Amino acid sequence: MKAVSIPSGTNLTALYRELVGDYPKFFKMDTLSKLGFLLTEMLLQGTEGRFTPREDRAVLVFSRNGSLANDINYAKRMEDFPSPALFVYTLPNIVAGEISIRNKYEGETSAYVLENYDRQLIESIVREAFQDRITRDAIVAWIDCRSDSEWTAQAWIETK
Amino acid sequence: MENLINELKLKIIDALNLDGMTPEDIDNNAPLFGDEGLGLDSIDVLELIVLLERNYGIRLDSPSKGKEVFQSVAVMAKYVAENRTK
């Protein structure tokens, strides 16, 4: 099983410029979504038929803190002007959407906030996702973004 | 005009929280919206409207005017130069 991770404190803009460079929407994303976007780039770059629309791959994202880091940024910004551009990232499931939009996935997307990293629980949720008749594999990620510079971020692909 | 274009790019980066983006990343004539250029969307229009009003005293009365003004940074700069009140 291929797995990738991004160490806490990595310069995400530099990593984006190294890996991608032509997806300006990256700059709009909050740190949680940037991490999800970059993890999947590391997982998927060079795979055949990468951007062909498909609905048989799920995106399942897990974390402890959800979108809390961006929620705090948004709360600070509300003292001046409540920025709609920040507001759109005040939901922890947006990262799953960003991954799906980038890769043209049209299947199951879910975001779960867990009390702690629990691999057994994650595996059971992945198995549940495989119960439908469509999903054949899943991008699974644990992205716990504690602040814009401190996180745990790893992703892997599981097959039915 | 070049100074105003650069100033606008910096203000857009700040207003839209385009963390890590530099003015050099924004082509003067590239579309601000859609997949071809900066990748902005309808949510970002509100931020740009506020940016114009706060910094240059320009009020846009209709969404269609925004569509016209926010075609590119170059178009935006020309409109600001011709209509600013501060």
Side-chain angles (χ1 to χ4, degrees):
Chain A
M1 182 193 305
K2 184 181 179 184
V4 296
S5 63
I6 300 175
S8 188
T10 297
N11 183 331
L12 300 182
T13 301
L15 187 58
Y16 159 78
R17 291 189 194 282
E18 181 190 327
L19 292 176
V20 188
D22 61 352
Y23 195 77
K25 199 181 177 200
F26 171 84
F27 293 105
K28 289 178 59 182
M29 297 177 192
D30 70 331
T31 302
L32 179 66
S33 290
K34 283 179 176 171
L35 287 166
F37 177 88
L38 291 170
L39 283 169
T40 48
E41 289 302 312
M42 292 160 72
L43 267 181
L44 302 170
Q45 276 193 350
T47 54
E48 202 176 328
R50 164 131 187 240
F51 295 113
T52 304
R54 57 188 291 186
E55 56 180 48
D56 60 348
R57 172 170 283 170
V59 179
L60 308 174
V61 180
F62 300 84
S63 73
R64 180 170 186 270
N65 283 285
S67 60
L68 184 62
N70 187 60
D71 295 349
I72 292 169
N73 290 338
Y74 179 67
K76 284 180 191 159
R77 188 72 173 246
M78 280 179 76
E79 291 165 11
D80 177 28
F81 168 66
S83 163
L86 279 180
F87 176 73
V88 294
Y89 289 100
T90 57
L91 286 171
N93 60 325
I94 299 299
V95 56
E98 291 289 9
I99 292 168
S100 297
I101 290 167
R102 165 67 168 167
N103 295 288
K104 298 185 168 47
Y105 297 156
E106 298 167 353
E108 162 86 5
T109 62
S110 304
Y112 298 85
V113 176
L114 308 183
E115 194 171 346
N116 282 299
Y117 178 82
D118 183 338
R119 188 64 184 250
Q120 275 191 322
L121 179 56
I122 291 172
E123 293 298 337
S124 74
I125 292 169
V126 172
R127 282 196 300 276
E128 272 181 36
F130 288 153
Q131 295 303 307
D132 66 25
R133 293 179 184 173
I134 300 168
T135 306
R136 287 171 31 179
D137 63 24
I139 289 180
V140 186
W142 171 263
I143 313 173
D144 190 43
C145 190
R146 296 179 287 280
S147 74
D148 288 332
S149 60
E150 193 189 350
W151 58 74
T152 308
Q154 50 191 279
W156 61 96
I157 296 176
E158 295 209 21
T159 305
K160 190 170 184 176
Chain B
M1 185 62 85
E2 202 55 42
N3 284 347
L4 180 56
I5 285 175
N6 202 51
E7 179 183 303
L8 274 173
K9 287 179 180 177
L10 289 169
K11 288 189 186 303
I12 289 169
I13 289 168
D14 180 55
L16 298 176
N17 311 293
L18 303 174
D19 186 33
M21 184 175 268
T22 67
E24 292 73 33
D25 291 318
I26 306 174
D27 187 302
N28 291 358
N29 299 300
L32 291 175
F33 294 88
D35 295 334
E36 295 300 311
L38 205 53
L40 304 186
D41 55 37
S42 56
I43 300 244
D44 302 314
V45 172
L46 284 171
E47 308 263 11
L48 296 183
I49 287 172
V50 172
L51 185 160
L52 287 188
E53 188 167 347
R54 282 189 166 187
N55 293 282
Y56 306 105
I58 294 171
R59 292 194 70 165
L60 296 183
D61 295 328
S62 68
S64 59
K65 193 68 185 169
K67 216 171 181 179
E68 180 190 321
V69 174
F70 301 137
Q71 282 180 57
S72 67
V73 176
V75 171
M76 210 172 149
K78 184 171 182 291
Y79 187 82
V80 168
E82 290 169 354
N83 295 278
R84 66 189 301 171
T85 60
K86 64 179 182 184

